[in-house]
Amino acid sequence: MSKKPPLLHLPIPTHDKGFYNGFSRAVTMTSTMIIAIVVIWAVAYPEEAGRVLAAINGYILSSFATWYIYVMGAFVVVCGILALWPASGRLKLGLAGDTPEFSSFSWYSMMFGAGIGVGMLTWAVAEPSYNFNNNPDVLLGLASSGGADNITNAFKWSFLHWGISAWATYAVAGLCLAYFTYRRGLPMTMRSSLVSLFGRHLSGPLGHAIDVFAVVATVFGVAQALGFGVNQLVDGLSRIGLGGYLTLADGTPSAAGIIVAIVLIMGASTLSAVSGVGRGIKWLSNINMVLSFFVLAFLLVFGATTFGLTSLFQGLWVYILDLPALLFTVYEGGTETGDALVGWQGGWTVFYWAWWIAFAPFVGLFLARISKGRTVREFVIGVVAVPSLIACVWFSLAGGTAMHLEMTGEAAGAISGATDGGKIFAMMDVLIPSAFLSWLMAALIVVLLMTYLVTSADSAVLVVNTINAGGYEGPKARPHIIFWGVAVGGVVAALLLIGGIGAIQTAMVIGALPFSVVMALMCVSLLKAVFNDTRRMANGVPSTVMPAEQAAE
């Protein structure tokens, strides 16, 4: 097989007139109908929908916990193989003369902003505090809840959820798409990543189903991130004096607050998406990376610097040493401790794994879109190592400062008593005695949050349209960009209004399950393609599409 050229053409039927001109109606209409049915049902029958979705969600989190944990572990192993495989340093995501389109700074900025930037602003402060009070080490009696012996564990478990595993998931999806698109000339859509397994069969219903799974997972995955972001944005806007009507008495967003935030986010993201990756998205990503470094520098100077840096190095060390066990340990119930461990793993780790898998279609395709000209090894190391390290630094400095302020009594419960999205604002209030300077920092964080939200939303809209169009971009997509911008905003607003963030979480976990199977097949397809291409190169058999200038001759 490796002595024959690979498949270099995968036709995807698209419509040739009207609103769907250039788009696959089978994918676009089916995914739209599935999403619409779920949302309309949830809005029209909120109690029944909530009960049924919660039951499905509980079944998935309990029955497929082992699957999620092992498949996520497999993604990390595959990335490790590709980073160490000698051939991966020679194989380029493109042709011999292709060079990267974006600078390293813009590349890292865009991948980080699209990946986990939004959730990080919420959970970098909140999650270490939760883990400080409860985690598997506490449940097993190896550390005390809220004790000094549990500080490192709090960061170890946070690093597990936001570090290598998340980015390995994105790397698998992105590398598959980039490999088959730039080396084989295939359409940049999810079905292309499985071509070494199913070949030309992907032009038909099988390929349509894979792309539909990807669109549904993308919409519900980004809805999850935007749901957290809306809560935090409303909290921030209220804190800087842009409308007390945006929040209720308990600090949660009011209906007006949700609608205002959605209109702001999706309006800006749709305009950015229409402008394309090279302009709006790139510049927004650069801005949010610069603002992120500014906030980090502020915390490094004025925060709990020693505590945060100590937590970073100790947490990283323990995380890396324990990583094999962390990746593949599945807790079993049957005892009081076992049931508590199963509940914690389902509510935290398995939930995160479902979230990252739901995020993988849109982050992966976006990473592929911005990574042409880089080698396989450069892609894997760049996507997995650098953003993971930045996330760990964020959690250590932001979460460490908040934890230290509460432990010393300086915060007096102000941080722990705030909403998850409001914790970062409460922390800044404690750190900065001047009301005016505190207001300025809150305003800066609101701008940073807004850029992350817009970057995530516009990236998702572009990705959905690329998949629906059979892997191609162009001016014809502009009406669809506007349509999906409105649609994604509508999904988030509807689910937040009828069920809060819990409704979005439930829909996301359900939507992620079928795509997790697709991603497992991606790993096999990618390893098979890399192995066969190295043998083709050794035998002098072409393994890439012919360059345009040669084709013209």
Side-chain angles (χ1 to χ4, degrees):
M1 180 177 178
S2 60
K3 293 184 180 180
K4 297 180 181 180
L7 178 66
L8 302 176
H9 183 58
L10 184 67
I12 298 176
T14 56
H15 203 52
D16 59 0
K17 59 183 178 180
F19 181 70
Y20 292 103
N21 180 32
F23 284 76
S24 169
R25 286 199 300 182
V27 175
T28 306
M29 296 180 70
T30 304
S31 57
T32 303
M33 288 176 60
I34 292 173
I35 295 166
I37 288 171
V38 172
V39 174
I40 292 172
W41 177 45
V43 173
Y45 305 98
E47 293 184 4
E48 177 191 359
R51 184 173 61 255
V52 173
L53 289 175
I56 297 174
N57 180 68
Y59 175 77
I60 289 174
L61 289 179
S62 59
S63 302
F64 290 90
T66 301
W67 163 254
Y68 272 123
I69 289 168
Y70 282 132
V71 79
M72 288 290 287
F75 299 155
V76 176
V77 171
V78 168
C79 287
I81 291 172
L82 292 170
L84 297 174
W85 195 345
S88 69
R90 299 191 302 269
L91 293 175
K92 181 178 287 190
L93 301 177
L95 307 181
D98 288 339
T99 58
E101 179 182 357
F102 301 99
S103 68
S104 294
F105 181 80
S106 292
W107 188 51
Y108 290 127
S109 297
M110 285 190 285
M111 74 167 71
F112 194 74
I116 60 175
V118 175
M120 187 187 64
L121 282 178
T122 298
W123 295 107
V125 178
E127 186 167 341
S129 298
Y130 283 121
N131 291 336
F132 183 51
N133 292 311
N134 190 37
N135 61 59
D137 293 295
V138 172
L139 296 173
L140 289 168
L142 303 176
S144 56
S145 174
D149 61 339
N150 198 35
I151 294 172
T152 300
N153 295 324
F155 289 95
K156 175 185 73 175
W157 291 103
S158 298
F159 295 166
L160 171 67
H161 296 150
W162 292 83
I164 291 172
S165 298
W167 289 97
T169 308
Y170 302 156
V172 166
L175 186 56
C176 271
L177 287 164
Y179 195 91
F180 289 104
T181 297
Y182 299 132
R183 290 184 62 83
R184 306 283 177 84
L186 301 179
M188 187 177 282
T189 187
M190 286 299 154
R191 69 180 77 189
S192 297
S193 62
L194 301 182
V195 74
S196 64
L197 297 180
F198 301 108
R200 291 181 175 84
H201 296 291
L202 293 168
S203 290
L206 176 61
H208 300 334
I210 291 168
D211 283 348
V212 168
F213 290 153
V215 171
V216 173
T218 294
V219 171
F220 286 127
V222 79
Q224 166 76 14
L226 293 179
F228 283 127
V230 163
N231 288 340
Q232 192 169 31
L233 181 62
V234 169
D235 196 316
L237 290 173
S238 179
R239 282 176 179 269
I240 62 176
L242 296 182
Y245 65 91
L246 299 176
T247 58
L248 301 174
D250 61 357
T252 58
S254 64
I258 291 173
I259 294 171
V260 167
I262 290 293
V263 170
L264 284 174
I265 294 165
M266 297 314 302
S269 65
T270 302
L271 291 174
S272 177
V274 168
S275 72
V277 174
R279 287 180 288 181
I281 296 177
K282 183 183 78 171
W283 287 109
L284 277 174
S285 299
N286 289 344
I287 290 170
N288 63 39
M289 185 60 77
V290 169
L291 291 178
S292 297
F293 281 131
F294 177 82
V295 175
L296 277 178
F298 175 86
L299 292 172
L300 189 62
V301 175
F302 298 104
T305 306
T306 303
F307 185 88
L309 292 178
T310 301
S311 300
L312 171 64
F313 292 118
Q314 291 181 348
L316 268 178
W317 177 251
V318 174
Y319 167 55
I320 293 170
L321 288 179
D322 292 353
L323 188 59
L326 294 173
L327 288 176
F328 295 106
T329 297
V330 180
Y331 297 114
E332 296 183 1
T335 64
E336 183 178 351
T337 300
D339 290 343
L341 288 168
V342 169
W344 190 94
Q345 190 171 52
W348 284 95
T349 304
V350 177
F351 164 73
Y352 271 122
W353 291 175
W355 188 4
W356 304 146
I357 289 172
F359 240 44
F362 112 74
V363 178
L365 196 151
F366 184 72
L367 291 177
R369 170 65 182 80
I370 63 176
S371 300
K372 184 177 182 179
R374 301 183 185 273
T375 67
V376 171
R377 180 181 294 129
E378 181 184 8
F379 181 94
V380 171
I381 294 175
V383 170
V384 176
V386 176
S388 296
L389 182 59
I390 294 174
C392 291
V393 172
W394 253 102
F395 272 74
S396 300
L397 293 180
T401 295
M403 189 185 298
H404 186 263
L405 290 172
E406 287 290 359
M407 290 175 65
T408 59
E410 189 175 349
I415 301 173
S416 60
T419 62
D420 290 336
K423 281 180 167 57
I424 190 170
F425 297 106
M427 179 182 69
M428 291 301 178
D429 287 341
V430 176
L431 280 177
I432 307 172
S434 166
F436 176 70
L437 293 178
S438 178
W439 181 90
L440 281 180
M441 181 57 75
L444 185 147
I445 293 174
V446 167
V447 173
L448 175 59
L449 176 62
M450 187 69 180
T451 60
Y452 272 132
L453 288 167
V454 172
T455 302
S456 294
D458 60 14
S459 301
V461 169
L462 280 175
V463 165
V464 166
N465 276 281
T466 302
I467 295 173
N468 287 336
Y472 298 101
E473 301 178 47
K476 65 187 179 186
R478 288 183 177 178
H480 290 263
I481 288 174
I482 296 171
F483 168 78
W484 279 103
V486 173
V488 170
V491 169
V492 178
L495 293 177
L496 279 176
L497 289 171
I498 60 98
I501 197 68
I504 298 179
Q505 291 175 351
T506 300
M508 181 273 298
V509 170
I510 296 170
L513 182 60
F515 193 72
S516 68
V517 178
V518 175
M519 286 205 62
L521 294 174
M522 281 183 176
C523 292
V524 180
S525 178
L526 178 61
L527 292 175
K528 180 180 179 182
V530 172
F531 176 73
N532 283 334
D533 278 358
T534 57
R535 296 188 64 187
R536 290 186 179 103
M537 292 169 66
N539 293 322
V541 178
S543 62
T544 63
V545 69
M546 186 181 297
E549 59 270 18
Q550 289 182 256
E553 293 176 1

